[in-house]
Amino acid sequence: RKEVEQDPGPFNVPEGATVAFNCTYSNSASQSFFWYRQDCRKEPKLLMSVYSSGNEDGRFTAQLNRASQYISLLIRDSKLSDSATYLCVVIEYSGNTPLVFGKGTRLSVIA
Amino acid sequence: NAGVTQTPKFQVLKTGQSMTLQCAQDMNHNSMYWYRQDPGMGLRLIYYSASEGTTDKGEVPNGYNVSRLNKREFSLRLESAAPSQTSVYFCASSENGEVQPQHFGDGTRLSIL
């Protein structure tokens, strides 16, 4: 299986903190990257795409480092509602598995 | 807008029984997928359908069959359920299966005794 690796956590952070997760991928031919969020016992939901130049959506910043083959997600000013599991997703244009999920990083924001 | 709808939401089967999980999307998406999610394993692709009339195996297809009935519907069948198939099953859809991010149904929790 093509490897997409994430630190499972949990990351326990206080409200207002800044937290960052990385996701490494093994296939240098990987083309597209995304971050999903999954709440306990719910379906995954798209959080944001990851562009080569990096992109920001409010408190969330995603970055891609092709040379070192990882993507990152930075969350600033953490809220209790940010508590969830964050899944990275890597898409390739070849092979049986068009889209590969990481196993996720669990974040718990504490009051 | 319902998005991706899965039925049933919960099911308990005995080993050897058969069952079909239903999935329908109302977003006119071309591509549809079936995943299973197990603790510590993440989401794994079972089968996908890049467009109406086509289906392809994913990472873990053994023990399953699929039918892309029309553009809206993509069903997953377990012919002879085994305890190893106890899992949460998610259906997803996207406009372009290899590039666009996907929309998920809210899952079917299946237990095989």
Side-chain angles (χ1 to χ4, degrees):
Chain A
R1 181 173 196 223
K2 297 181 179 68
E3 294 297 322
V4 177
E5 300 289 342
Q6 294 184 253
D7 182 338
F11 285 60
N12 298 313
V13 302
E15 269 187 295
T18 296
V19 61
F21 320 127
N22 284 345
C23 168
T24 60
Y25 59 95
S26 61
N27 190 342
S28 60
S30 300
Q31 299 288 336
S32 302
F33 309 88
F34 302 91
W35 283 102
Y36 281 72
R37 162 196 176 125
Q38 186 173 24
D39 294 296
C40 187
R41 300 181 68 80
K42 297 287 188 180
E43 75 276 19
K45 292 182 179 177
L46 176 66
L47 181 65
M48 59 196 304
S49 304
V50 185
Y51 302 124
S52 297
S53 56
N55 49 298
E56 189 174 305
D57 183 1
R59 298 181 294 109
F60 297 83
T61 300
Q63 292 194 312
L64 167 63
N65 185 318
R66 284 197 183 273
S68 299
Q69 294 184 202
Y70 73 88
I71 62 172
S72 64
L73 178 68
L74 180 80
I75 305 175
R76 290 180 298 278
D77 189 23
S78 298
K79 311 290 185 191
L80 295 175
S81 58
D82 294 333
S83 297
T85 297
Y86 291 84
L87 310 172
C88 72
V89 168
V90 174
I91 293 181
E92 302 165 6
Y93 290 113
S94 61
N96 283 341
T97 307
L99 185 147
V100 179
F101 280 84
K103 295 176 184 178
T105 296
R106 193 166 145 224
L107 171 66
S108 183
V109 181
I110 304 162
Chain B
N1 192 344
V4 179
T5 303
Q6 290 182 237
T7 55
K9 291 193 180 349
F10 303 93
Q11 185 69 48
V12 179
L13 294 177
K14 294 181 180 178
T15 296
Q17 285 185 314
S18 61
M19 161 146 205
T20 299
L21 308 186
Q22 306 287 351
C23 175
Q25 51 90 10
D26 61 4
M27 296 172 283
N28 202 36
H29 285 168
N30 286 324
S31 301
M32 297 185 73
Y33 307 78
W34 277 105
Y35 290 93
R36 60 178 289 175
Q37 187 173 36
D38 303 294
M41 294 298 295
L43 280 147
R44 293 182 292 169
L45 183 66
I46 305 171
Y47 270 93
Y48 70 101
S49 171
S51 60
E52 185 179 357
T54 68
T55 61
D56 288 285
K57 295 179 180 179
E59 182 183 357
V60 288
N62 291 344
Y64 305 94
N65 285 301
V66 290
S67 295
R68 183 74 183 267
L69 303 170
N70 47 55
K71 192 171 186 179
R72 289 188 66 248
E73 298 172 289
F74 189 38
S75 63
L76 178 72
R77 182 159 179 86
L78 287 70
E79 290 291 352
S80 179
S84 61
Q85 294 177 305
T86 293
S87 189
V88 180
Y89 291 85
F90 288 104
C91 177
S93 71
S94 65
E95 290 184 8
N96 179 326
E98 293 183 327
V99 176
Q100 296 287 342
Q102 300 180 58
H103 302 263
F104 285 82
D106 53 12
T108 295
R109 282 162 178 77
L110 183 61
S111 293
I112 317 293
L113 304 178

